[in-house]
Amino acid sequence: HEGPVWQVSWAHPKFGVVIASCSFDGSVLIHRETRPREWTLLYAAKHVHASSVNGLAFCPHEYGLMLAAASSDGKVSILAHQPDNSWSVEYLHDCALGVNSISWAPSGAYDDGLPRLMTGGCDNGIRLWKRNTEMTWEEDVKMETQHSDWVRDVAWAPPILPNVNVVASCSEDGKVLIWTSEKKEDQVEKWKCMVLNDFGVPVWRVSWSLTAQLLAVSSGDSDVSLWKQGLDGVWSQMDTMSDRTPTS
């Protein structure tokens, strides 16, 4: 890379030891470990975007070796490995102001088995995209804009119940929102939103535990906090981890 590296993402182990990185320089690089501590450049998507690539993520392995990258140029690129070892690139025109983050729907999240991903943008909104049966990408469900500043991260929770999906989003407005949808047969999917907490400072990242019981939140007050939802549906803080140096 020729600029700051913003994010890295590991591919599923079935594809070997493969890692992708994205940078301010507008590129995405994919490396594979061929032998212990020996890395080979698998694919260099130089200038795949006209501006900074802010986030990227590999899709669930059931869809193949494919990753999505979100950029400040307003596009999301989908890079997919082909049988002849080449890589195809297609674009989603997401948010003209820029896209900050991306998260794939887990395999099994929907009965139709189609790949879906969620993006967070500089227009304060999140978008849900689906690759349809004609293998083209389209916006699946229009999501209401609930944040009042840039969305910095989105994270799709691991699936617990069939056709019930949960996504967390965080923003520079200081809020973390929990989005929940329950897809019923022959009905349009509807997403409901609730505020997990207003931190009063920008919130940069959200990350789910593997069981989707805990949500980790990193915020601009130098803290990482852990949150859990009770049986009554109310979220409560479990713990906090500060990187401030202790004073004696």
Side-chain angles (χ1 to χ4, degrees):
H1 289 295
E2 299 170 0
V5 177
W6 298 130
Q7 193 169 18
V8 294
S9 177
W10 292 100
H12 191 274
K14 71 173 288 185
F15 302 112
V17 184
V18 178
I19 190 171
S21 57
C22 63
S23 169
F24 179 79
D25 65 9
S27 68
V28 173
L29 301 183
I30 304 171
H31 286 84
R32 169 180 281 152
E33 188 179 37
T34 50
R35 285 187 291 186
R37 300 185 182 180
E38 208 171 284
W39 293 85
T40 301
L41 181 62
L42 199 61
Y43 181 65
K46 292 284 189 179
H47 311 297
V48 68
H49 286 283
S51 191
S52 172
V53 182
N54 304 314
L56 83 172
F58 278 101
C59 72
H61 70 87
E62 290 86 354
Y63 304 131
L65 186 57
M66 179 169 61
L67 67 85
S71 172
S72 294
D73 65 6
K75 299 176 185 176
V76 173
S77 58
I78 309 293
L79 285 69
H81 183 259
Q82 302 300 314
D84 61 358
N85 278 334
S86 66
W87 289 78
S88 65
V89 181
E90 56 182 322
Y91 292 96
L92 315 181
H93 293 270
D94 189 280
C95 166
L97 297 177
V99 192
N100 295 319
S101 56
I102 198 157
S103 182
W104 290 87
S107 175
Y110 290 87
D111 287 340
D112 59 19
L114 298 174
R116 287 173 172 82
L117 56 84
M118 193 81 78
T119 61
C122 298
D123 61 351
N124 312 339
I126 65 175
R127 286 177 171 81
L128 176 60
W129 294 87
K130 175 182 72 176
R131 190 173 70 177
N132 58 31
T133 53
E134 298 175 356
M135 304 300 285
T136 58
W137 288 90
E138 62 185 12
E139 198 168 349
D140 191 22
V141 178
K142 291 286 185 182
M143 309 286 288
E144 292 184 20
T145 301
Q146 296 287 346
H147 286 292
S148 58
D149 209 333
W150 288 11
V151 178
R152 280 297 178 181
D153 199 16
V154 288
W156 207 303
I160 302 299
L161 299 172
N163 285 324
V164 176
N165 288 287
V166 180
V167 172
S169 65
C170 66
S171 167
E172 289 195 40
D173 65 7
K175 294 178 182 177
V176 172
L177 303 182
I178 304 296
W179 303 78
T180 306
S181 84
E182 185 171 353
K183 181 73 180 292
K184 297 181 180 179
E185 192 174 352
D186 298 329
Q187 290 187 6
V188 177
E189 182 180 20
K190 292 183 179 180
W191 288 81
K192 296 179 181 178
C193 168
M194 66 174 292
V195 178
L196 178 138
N197 190 47
D198 188 343
F199 291 81
V201 293
V203 184
W204 299 105
R205 292 289 180 189
V206 284
S207 179
W208 293 95
S209 66
L210 291 177
T211 58
Q213 292 184 336
L214 290 175
L215 179 69
V217 179
S218 64
S219 48
D221 54 2
S222 305
D223 275 353
V224 175
S225 54
L226 298 178
W227 297 78
K228 185 175 183 178
Q229 188 178 29
L231 296 176
D232 57 358
V234 177
W235 288 84
S236 57
Q237 185 173 332
M238 304 298 294
D239 202 357
T240 182
M241 295 162 282
S242 173
D243 67 357
R244 295 193 185 97
T245 304
T247 55
S248 55

